[in-house]
Amino acid sequence: MDNRDAIGSWLSGPREAAERAGVDFGYRGEQLGLPEHGPGSIARPGRRLGALAVDWALCLLIAYGLLTHGYNQATGNWALLILFVLSTLTVGTIGFTPGKRLFGLRVIALDTGRPNPLRALLRTALLCVAIPALIWDRDGRGLHDRLARTVEIRL
C-alpha cells in the first residue's frame, strides 16, 4: 500500500477504505427497499439541512415579529416551540413542513406510508433535542427517524 493510499483512506473515512478492500455496502435506502436515485429515494443531508434552515428561519420570523417584538433569548425559545408545533402538525398530517416542501422532501412511515401524529410528535421532540438527529445510520437516517420508524425521502 502506498503512503498516499493510507493517508487518503484516513481522510475519507473507514467506509471508503472498506469499499476499496471489496466490501459492498450497497446504496442508501437499499435495506429499506427504496430506489437509489430520483423520487422515493433517501433525502440527502444537504437538502435536509436546507429544509430545516428554512423552517427555522420561518419560525424565528414568526417569533420575532409576532411574539417578542425584538431579538433576544426569548425569541429563540419561542422559535423552538413554534418549530415543534409546526413540525408536529404538518408532518403528522401532510408529511412535510414548508421547508421540506420547498426542497422537495417528504417524511413517510416505513410500514404505513403516512406518519401518524404520534410518530410525528416523537420524531419532532427528538429533532428539537438535536443530539438524536446528529447520529446517523448507514442509510443516512437520523436516530430520530429510526426511533419513530420514519424516513425522509425525495418527492
Side-chain angles (χ1 to χ4, degrees), residues 55-72:
D55 290 335
W56 181 251
L58 179 65
C59 293
L60 268 176
L61 186 65
I62 292 169
Y64 178 81
L66 297 178
L67 299 172
T68 61
H69 305 294
Y71 188 77
N72 53 29

Side-chain angles (χ1 to χ4, degrees), residues 127-140:
L127 180 66
C128 288
V129 175
I131 298 299
L134 298 174
I135 301 171
W136 293 359
D137 64 3
R138 69 175 249 198
D139 287 321

Side-chain angles (χ1 to χ4, degrees), residues 61-145:
L61 186 65
I62 292 169
Y64 178 81
L66 297 178
L67 299 172
T68 61
H69 305 294
Y71 188 77
N72 53 29
Q73 180 64 35
T75 306
N77 294 338
W78 278 108
L80 185 62
L81 180 64
I82 293 168
L83 179 71
F84 178 79
V85 172
L86 173 80
S87 185
T88 301
L89 292 177
T90 57
V91 169
T93 55
I94 56 177
F96 50 80
T97 62
K100 288 180 191 348
R101 181 67 180 144
L102 183 67
F103 279 82
L105 305 176
R106 172 177 233 124
V107 177
I108 62 167
L110 289 176
D111 51 357
T112 61
R114 289 194 85 123
N116 62 25
L118 289 176
R119 282 188 189 188
L121 179 72
L122 174 64
R123 183 184 187 279
T124 304
L126 292 171
L127 180 66
C128 288
V129 175
I131 298 299
L134 298 174
I135 301 171
W136 293 359
D137 64 3
R138 69 175 249 198
D139 287 321
R141 291 190 316 154
L143 187 58
H144 64 298
D145 276 328

